[in-house]
């Protein structure tokens, strides 16, 4: 931890860095959406505490039982549908307007950054509001809740799947490349509400730091990177991010 151990002092220092920055990158995880009511994955009531990821979020699970996987995603869509962005998402919209080269990278599939008004969002793990055809590969937005048990493609009739990245799958190389490019030039990076255990997102903060960025974590709890980054600010992102403006 840096000399700025007091939270107000940390926030003041970060605000100053952001005010001077010509470029900034933000990586978000499930924690930024927690205050909107979105369940996280690894907390006390986290999604992967209640469900076996390998039974539901892998290509093998989908091949074995597409109905069960769709039931899970329909349930998640139902939870997400009424939820709205919180002040953490909104503060990032404002930062995007203020900082000339601003990059928002998210691991979240909930679409809340878009809903808040962020213009450019790199969605590393896809978006739950999009479906992808397992036959022709067409990707379309579909906000119907619930989708049929075995939804099919409007153009070729093949089975649709959620347009999200499952365990064991590759991330979109074009999105990854743009993210890494941004990390090369960013002067300040915020790592917000992520437990830092799922690669490659987990090491993006370190990657930016090694390339000279001032990297700050904002999280309710300590993570494997606390003490490694330049600052670790403990608290709710919906409270801390607005204070940076
Ligand atoms: P996790 O559930 O692993 O971690 C959520 C983090 O947010 C934890 O470190 C919490 O301490 C923190 N947190 C919770 N509420 C917060 C708040 N109000 N303000 C700030 N921080 C808060 O979620 P992720 O790190 O996003 O991947 O998980 C990464 C990936 O694992 C997900 O994208 C998903 C999952 O498996 C796929 O599905 C491919």
């Amino acid at each position: 931890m840096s000399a700025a151990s007091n939270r107000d002092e940390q926030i003041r220092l970060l605000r100053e860095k952001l005010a001077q920055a010509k470029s900034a990158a933000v990586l978000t995880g499930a924690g930024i959406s927690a205050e909107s009511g979105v369940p996280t994955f690894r907390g006390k009531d986290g999604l992967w505490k209640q469900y076996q990821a390998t039974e539901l979020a892998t290509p093998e699970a989908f091949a074995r039982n597409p109905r069960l996987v769709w039931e899970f995603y329909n349930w998640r869509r139902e939870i997400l549908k009424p939820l709205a962005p919180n002040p953490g998402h909104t503060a990032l919209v404002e930062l995007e307007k203020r900082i000339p080269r601003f990059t928002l990278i998210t691991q979240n599939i909930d679409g809340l950054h878009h809903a808040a008004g962020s213009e450019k969002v790199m969605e590393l793990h896809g978006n739950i509001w999009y479906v992808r055809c397992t036959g022709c590969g067409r990707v379309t937005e579909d906000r119907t809740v619930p989708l049929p048990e075995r939804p099919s493609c409007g153009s070729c009739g093949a089975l649709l799947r959620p347009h999200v990245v499952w365990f064991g799958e590759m991330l979109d190389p074009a999105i990854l490349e743009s993210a890494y490019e941004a990390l090369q030039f960013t002067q300040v990076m915020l790592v917000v509400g992520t437990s830092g255990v799922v690669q490659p997102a987990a090491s993006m903060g370190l990657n930016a730091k090694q390339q000279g960025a001032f990297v700050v974590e904002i999280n309710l709890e300590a993570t494997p990177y606390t003490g490694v980054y330049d600052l670790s600010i403990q608290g709710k992102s919906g409270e801390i991010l607005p204070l940076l403006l």
Side-chain angles (χ1 to χ4, degrees):
M1 181 95 105
S2 95
S5 52
N6 160 293
R7 202 172 88 161
D8 291 345
E9 187 54 24
Q10 290 179 316
I11 290 169
R12 192 196 56 73
L13 175 62
L14 177 54
R15 201 165 41 213
E16 222 167 71
K17 293 269 182 198
L18 286 169
Q20 290 161 4
K22 299 270 182 291
S23 56
V26 180
L27 170 71
T28 63
I32 195 167
S33 295
E35 288 157 80
S36 294
V38 180
T40 59
F41 294 95
R42 298 180 180 78
K44 186 165 52 73
D45 303 315
L47 218 47
W48 298 150
K49 290 268 159 67
Q50 303 171 57
Y51 299 96
Q52 275 262 312
T54 47
E55 297 296 321
L56 296 163
T58 62
E60 293 77 18
F62 191 65
R64 209 164 42 231
N65 194 344
R67 275 199 175 82
L68 177 70
V69 174
W70 264 118
E71 197 181 307
F72 176 61
Y73 280 91
N74 268 328
W75 171 73
R76 288 179 68 186
R77 285 162 67 104
E78 209 169 293
I79 293 175
L80 292 174
K81 190 141 195 188
L83 303 185
N86 66 60
H89 296 104
T90 314
L92 296 182
V93 178
E94 191 53 38
L95 273 187
E96 182 177 34
K97 290 186 189 143
R98 292 186 189 186
I99 299 177
R101 293 180 84 177
F102 182 84
T103 305
L104 177 53
I105 307 166
T106 189
Q107 298 169 85
N108 299 344
I109 61 172
D110 55 32
L112 287 176
H113 286 302
H114 282 296
S118 285
E119 302 243 325
K120 281 181 279 152
V121 188
M122 296 179 192
E123 291 176 316
L124 293 177
H125 295 164
N127 186 314
I128 199 167
W129 300 112
Y130 284 74
V131 291
R132 185 163 86 240
C133 178
T134 56
C136 66
R138 195 167 77 128
V139 175
T140 42
E141 184 174 5
D142 191 336
R143 291 185 173 259
T144 316
V145 178
L147 281 166
E149 277 187 344
R150 264 185 82 95
S152 54
C153 175
S155 53
C156 79
L159 178 66
L160 293 174
R161 58 164 283 175
H163 185 49
V164 300
V165 177
W166 284 326
F167 288 101
E169 290 186 318
M170 301 271 291
L171 273 60
D172 181 330
I175 298 179
L176 259 187
E177 197 185 317
S178 321
Y180 282 123
E181 198 185 305
L183 299 183
Q184 273 174 30
F185 65 70
T186 195
Q187 293 172 320
V188 180
M189 176 155 181
L190 310 182
V191 180
V192 184
T194 177
S195 55
V197 295
V198 175
Q199 295 295 355
S203 44
M204 285 186 174
L206 203 55
N207 187 300
K209 186 168 164 57
Q210 282 160 353
Q211 299 185 81
F214 184 80
V215 183
V216 180
E217 166 180 75
I218 299 171
N219 199 303
L220 266 186
E221 296 166 1
T223 76
Y225 295 96
T226 306
V228 174
Y229 294 149
D230 296 284
L231 291 178
S232 286
I233 306 180
Q234 275 197 12
K236 292 185 174 178
S237 49
E239 290 171 8
I240 291 170
L241 289 170
L243 298 176
L244 302 177
L245 299 171

